[in-house]
Amino acid sequence: MSWTRDGKSGRRGYHHGNLREALIQAALDLIAAKGPAGFTFAEAARTAGVSAAAPYRHFRDRDALLADVARQGFERFEGILSIAWNDGRPDSFTAFGNLGKAYLAFARTEPAYYSAMFEVGVPLEDHPELRKAGDRAFAIVRAAAETLAETMPRAKRPPALMMALHIWSMSHGIASLFARGDEARRKLPMTPEELLEAEFLIYLQGLGFDGMAAAG
């Protein structure tokens, strides 16, 4: 892919190469500037420096473009969560907390992807590859919950799926409100990481987990 940048306007211009990636980058730039609902398919084409008809070579419509952006975002997200979980090392309790920190970090450093992943509202049944990418990312959280649940006596283990959904929801809420890398971020009297860590501890202790025992 070849791009040039106008020194005065800062706009990218697409000349040749990977049109699909050029359009995805244009969509990310527009999401960052206007939000996922703030631009048209034709505007994405103009931002990429191509004709209004060119995007139809790869995407049926604007929703298809946004679904592909979201799919890429979930694939990146999956990789970040996998690194954070690190197969439960150094211990499952610590690694579980690292997943939450990774969630916040992704929202902070990749706000356009984050917005595309969770705010575009494209029907998942129409975009199975997007659904699969999201499911793979969530599967890491579920596997982590299963590993942590196994540190408790069998009779007292909470359902791992329930745990995974709760942890995903907590992380997402704090990320969306307080850890975003865009103007939607709200202020806190503490860091988002500190808030999430406290919420994790309260939640897990409520389920009967002993952090030190789990760490052992």
Side-chain angles (χ1 to χ4, degrees):
M1 178 169 57
S2 177
W3 296 85
T4 61
R5 184 181 291 276
D6 185 317
K8 296 180 180 179
S9 69
R11 290 190 54 167
R12 292 187 178 107
Y14 171 79
H15 288 284
H16 61 79
N18 194 329
L19 175 59
R20 175 184 289 271
E21 291 304 316
L23 290 165
I24 288 172
Q25 183 59 56
L28 286 167
D29 290 345
L30 288 166
I31 290 169
K34 301 184 177 185
F39 63 94
T40 65
F41 203 28
E43 193 172 0
R46 287 196 299 273
T47 300
V50 298
S51 70
Y56 292 97
R57 300 176 195 171
H58 295 286
F59 301 105
R60 181 180 67 251
D61 53 23
R62 179 178 171 277
D63 275 3
L65 170 59
L66 289 173
D68 214 34
V69 174
R71 175 192 59 78
Q72 280 197 5
F74 273 114
E75 288 173 352
R76 289 174 177 241
F77 193 44
E78 178 191 1
I80 288 170
L81 292 180
S82 180
I83 292 170
W85 171 239
N86 194 27
D87 291 326
R89 294 186 290 267
D91 59 77
S92 57
F93 199 82
T94 301
F96 203 62
N98 288 340
L99 282 176
K101 294 175 183 176
Y103 207 116
L104 301 186
F106 185 86
R108 182 180 295 114
T109 60
E110 298 286 2
Y113 272 123
Y114 187 85
S115 184
M117 290 155 60
F118 297 113
E119 297 170 6
V120 297
V122 296
L124 293 178
E125 60 270 21
D126 294 342
H127 303 281
E129 292 306 313
L130 172 56
R131 178 188 288 276
K132 290 176 184 176
D135 288 347
R136 287 193 299 270
F138 177 71
I140 295 173
V141 181
R142 183 169 182 175
E146 290 171 349
T147 300
L148 188 58
E150 288 173 359
T151 65
M152 292 188 70
R154 184 176 297 275
K156 296 183 179 180
R157 290 177 189 173
L161 177 58
M162 178 195 76
M163 285 181 58
L165 290 170
H166 285 168
I167 292 298
W168 185 285
S169 299
M170 282 187 266
S171 301
H172 185 76
I174 292 175
S176 296
L177 288 171
F178 305 116
R180 298 175 64 121
D182 56 26
E183 294 181 356
R185 183 180 67 252
R186 299 177 182 226
K187 293 183 178 180
L188 267 178
M190 63 195 73
T191 68
E193 287 75 14
E194 289 170 340
L195 179 62
L196 185 59
E197 181 180 6
E199 193 169 2
F200 270 17
L201 288 173
I202 293 168
Y203 173 73
L204 293 175
Q205 288 172 359
L207 291 176
F209 284 93
D210 182 333
M212 294 306 295

